[in-house]
Amino acid sequence: MTTVTQTPLNPGDSPLVREALSSVVSRETSTQTTTVPSGDSPGSRNGEWPRPPRTRIFTVANQKGGVGKTTTSVNLAAALSMHGQRVLVVDLDPQGNASTALSIEHRGDVPDMYKVLVEDMPLIEAVKEVPEMPGLYCAPATIDLAGAEIELVSMVAREARLQRALAAYDAIELDYILIDCPPSLGLLTVNALMAANELLIPIQCEYYALEGLGQLLRNVDLVKAHLNPTLDLSTILLTMYDGRTRLASQVADEVRSHFGDRVLSTLIPRSVRVSEAPSYGQSVMTYDPGSSGAMAYMDAAREIAYRGAAV
């Protein structure tokens, strides 16, 4: 992993960053240790990683657009599958970008998450295996999903539609399910939070990305209090890190000071290769495995895998 030197944060620096984070209620952070067994060094990219004792369901959410939710979902899933994990990506964003990046057809009248959520189609009919990626699967989203927010309003147990679909899905013994959410806090995101046992928040290393963090965490608290008490904010990933700017270092340090070990030690740098990969229907893990972005996502996925094994 490329080592990025961070500029120490002066206590008087960046009042805007401090003001943004002051709205985030301080929470006790559970200490999580990334355990790497002997014979598998942190820099190693060979061999299988330990499988979790039960399926880990991650909701990847942040109502701020452009922070790397889809990119994170796709590349973490690809990295995990490359090391012996069985992974399902559930695309809940009507734009269908995760489906595009995994070369899964999501245009026209194809079985998709709209039919699963609104028409009660069994999830097994929508899930497709990703080409040339054994162990990686995707449930695509079409533009029809844009209307699901309205149609779900009148349905019974509208917040639990996705949870019920996942519970009935037993075609493959999965290790990870990554749910890619739209950039909003509507019913689709609530369904994702209801269905998951872990929350992963990608945070762009810029000031604007912090402004809505307090609102997101308040919504998470509401979901935990009324719908899903087992939901755990387990992982925060800092994305689009630019080591040339002082602000990126300040944001990273502030987020770490508030959330402690929930923040992965890996920083995802800005990378042209990461942006190019979806246009070829690939994750950056297969498009350019030697790029800085691919190596960073590989290291982030390893951290997640070994944290899960230590639970």
PDB file of all heavy atoms in Angstrom, residues 27-39:
ATOM      1  N   ARG A  27     -19.518   9.464  19.838  1.00  0.00           N
ATOM      2  CA  ARG A  27     -19.976   8.134  20.207  1.00  0.00           C
ATOM      3  C   ARG A  27     -18.806   7.320  20.706  1.00  0.00           C
ATOM      4  O   ARG A  27     -17.673   7.510  20.277  1.00  0.00           O
ATOM      5  CB  ARG A  27     -20.597   7.422  18.986  1.00  0.00           C
ATOM      6  CG  ARG A  27     -21.925   8.061  18.573  1.00  0.00           C
ATOM      7  CD  ARG A  27     -22.267   7.621  17.165  1.00  0.00           C
ATOM      8  NE  ARG A  27     -23.642   7.899  16.836  1.00  0.00           N
ATOM      9  CZ  ARG A  27     -24.105   9.102  16.536  1.00  0.00           C
ATOM     10  NH1 ARG A  27     -23.322  10.131  16.557  1.00  0.00           N
ATOM     11  NH2 ARG A  27     -25.382   9.258  16.231  1.00  0.00           N
ATOM     12  N   GLU A  28     -19.090   6.407  21.607  1.00  0.00           N
ATOM     13  CA  GLU A  28     -18.056   5.486  22.041  1.00  0.00           C
ATOM     14  C   GLU A  28     -17.751   4.560  20.876  1.00  0.00           C
ATOM     15  O   GLU A  28     -18.652   4.044  20.236  1.00  0.00           O
ATOM     16  CB  GLU A  28     -18.533   4.663  23.233  1.00  0.00           C
ATOM     17  CG  GLU A  28     -18.714   5.484  24.483  1.00  0.00           C
ATOM     18  CD  GLU A  28     -19.118   4.619  25.657  1.00  0.00           C
ATOM     19  OE1 GLU A  28     -19.164   3.391  25.489  1.00  0.00           O
ATOM     20  OE2 GLU A  28     -19.371   5.181  26.717  1.00  0.00           O
ATOM     21  N   THR A  29     -16.512   4.374  20.591  1.00  0.00           N
ATOM     22  CA  THR A  29     -16.127   3.501  19.485  1.00  0.00           C
ATOM     23  C   THR A  29     -15.573   2.215  20.034  1.00  0.00           C
ATOM     24  O   THR A  29     -14.702   2.213  20.891  1.00  0.00           O
ATOM     25  CB  THR A  29     -15.055   4.183  18.608  1.00  0.00           C
ATOM     26  OG1 THR A  29     -13.944   4.543  19.417  1.00  0.00           O
ATOM     27  CG2 THR A  29     -15.611   5.411  17.939  1.00  0.00           C
ATOM     28  N   SER A  30     -16.130   1.118  19.537  1.00  0.00           N
ATOM     29  CA  SER A  30     -15.654  -0.177  19.983  1.00  0.00           C
ATOM     30  C   SER A  30     -14.312  -0.453  19.350  1.00  0.00           C
ATOM     31  O   SER A  30     -14.110  -0.233  18.168  1.00  0.00           O
ATOM     32  CB  SER A  30     -16.641  -1.279  19.561  1.00  0.00           C
ATOM     33  OG  SER A  30     -16.835  -1.229  18.175  1.00  0.00           O
ATOM     34  N   THR A  31     -13.369  -0.908  20.138  1.00  0.00           N
ATOM     35  CA  THR A  31     -12.030  -1.176  19.644  1.00  0.00           C
ATOM     36  C   THR A  31     -12.045  -2.408  18.780  1.00  0.00           C
ATOM     37  O   THR A  31     -12.477  -3.467  19.195  1.00  0.00           O
ATOM     38  CB  THR A  31     -11.052  -1.378  20.818  1.00  0.00           C
ATOM     39  OG1 THR A  31     -11.092  -0.212  21.636  1.00  0.00           O
ATOM     40  CG2 THR A  31      -9.641  -1.625  20.314  1.00  0.00           C
ATOM     41  N   GLN A  32     -11.573  -2.255  17.541  1.00  0.00           N
ATOM     42  CA  GLN A  32     -11.514  -3.365  16.612  1.00  0.00           C
ATOM     43  C   GLN A  32     -10.081  -3.526  16.162  1.00  0.00           C
ATOM     44  O   GLN A  32      -9.426  -2.574  15.771  1.00  0.00           O
ATOM     45  CB  GLN A  32     -12.423  -3.122  15.401  1.00  0.00           C
ATOM     46  CG  GLN A  32     -13.879  -3.040  15.782  1.00  0.00           C
ATOM     47  CD  GLN A  32     -14.722  -2.645  14.588  1.00  0.00           C
ATOM     48  OE1 GLN A  32     -14.390  -1.724  13.870  1.00  0.00           O
ATOM     49  NE2 GLN A  32     -15.804  -3.348  14.376  1.00  0.00           N
ATOM     50  N   THR A  33      -9.574  -4.723  16.214  1.00  0.00           N
ATOM     51  CA  THR A  33      -8.198  -4.976  15.863  1.00  0.00           C
ATOM     52  C   THR A  33      -8.135  -5.764  14.583  1.00  0.00           C
ATOM     53  O   THR A  33      -8.811  -6.772  14.440  1.00  0.00           O
ATOM     54  CB  THR A  33      -7.485  -5.772  16.977  1.00  0.00           C
ATOM     55  OG1 THR A  33      -7.620  -5.037  18.197  1.00  0.00           O
ATOM     56  CG2 THR A  33      -6.016  -5.968  16.649  1.00  0.00           C
ATOM     57  N   THR A  34      -7.331  -5.294  13.647  1.00  0.00           N
ATOM     58  CA  THR A  34      -7.138  -6.025  12.411  1.00  0.00           C
ATOM     59  C   THR A  34      -6.052  -7.055  12.637  1.00  0.00           C
ATOM     60  O   THR A  34      -4.891  -6.709  12.829  1.00  0.00           O
ATOM     61  CB  THR A  34      -6.732  -5.075  11.277  1.00  0.00           C
ATOM     62  OG1 THR A  34      -7.725  -4.074  11.145  1.00  0.00           O
ATOM     63  CG2 THR A  34      -6.566  -5.827   9.977  1.00  0.00           C
ATOM     64  N   THR A  35      -6.408  -8.317  12.643  1.00  0.00           N
ATOM     65  CA  THR A  35      -5.465  -9.380  12.923  1.00  0.00           C
ATOM     66  C   THR A  35      -5.034 -10.033  11.626  1.00  0.00           C
ATOM     67  O   THR A  35      -5.861 -10.540  10.876  1.00  0.00           O
ATOM     68  CB  THR A  35      -6.112 -10.443  13.840  1.00  0.00           C
ATOM     69  OG1 THR A  35      -6.594  -9.790  15.004  1.00  0.00           O
ATOM     70  CG2 THR A  35      -5.103 -11.511  14.209  1.00  0.00           C
ATOM     71  N   VAL A  36      -3.742 -10.013  11.360  1.00  0.00           N
ATOM     72  CA  VAL A  36      -3.206 -10.661  10.172  1.00  0.00           C
ATOM     73  C   VAL A  36      -2.370 -11.841  10.629  1.00  0.00           C
ATOM     74  O   VAL A  36      -1.368 -11.666  11.306  1.00  0.00           O
ATOM     75  CB  VAL A  36      -2.325  -9.691   9.348  1.00  0.00           C
ATOM     76  CG1 VAL A  36      -1.786 -10.377   8.113  1.00  0.00           C
ATOM     77  CG2 VAL A  36      -3.119  -8.453   8.972  1.00  0.00           C
ATOM     78  N   PRO A  37      -2.792 -13.070  10.315  1.00  0.00           N
ATOM     79  CA  PRO A  37      -2.073 -14.231  10.785  1.00  0.00           C
ATOM     80  C   PRO A  37      -0.706 -14.348  10.147  1.00  0.00           C
ATOM     81  O   PRO A  37      -0.439 -13.771   9.108  1.00  0.00           O
ATOM     82  CB  PRO A  37      -2.972 -15.410  10.352  1.00  0.00           C
ATOM     83  CG  PRO A  37      -3.734 -14.881   9.193  1.00  0.00           C
ATOM     84  CD  PRO A  37      -3.938 -13.426   9.457  1.00  0.00           C
ATOM     85  N   SER A  38       0.173 -15.096  10.801  1.00  0.00           N
ATOM     86  CA  SER A  38       1.504 -15.303  10.262  1.00  0.00           C
ATOM     87  C   SER A  38       1.396 -15.980   8.902  1.00  0.00           C
ATOM     88  O   SER A  38       0.564 -16.840   8.685  1.00  0.00           O
ATOM     89  CB  SER A  38       2.315 -16.193  11.207  1.00  0.00           C
ATOM     90  OG  SER A  38       1.671 -17.434  11.378  1.00  0.00           O
ATOM     91  N   GLY A  39       2.280 -15.559   7.999  1.00  0.00           N
ATOM     92  CA  GLY A  39       2.239 -16.143   6.660  1.00  0.00           C
ATOM     93  C   GLY A  39       1.410 -15.330   5.692  1.00  0.00           C
ATOM     94  O   GLY A  39       1.444 -15.561   4.501  1.00  0.00           O
TER      95      GLY A  39
END
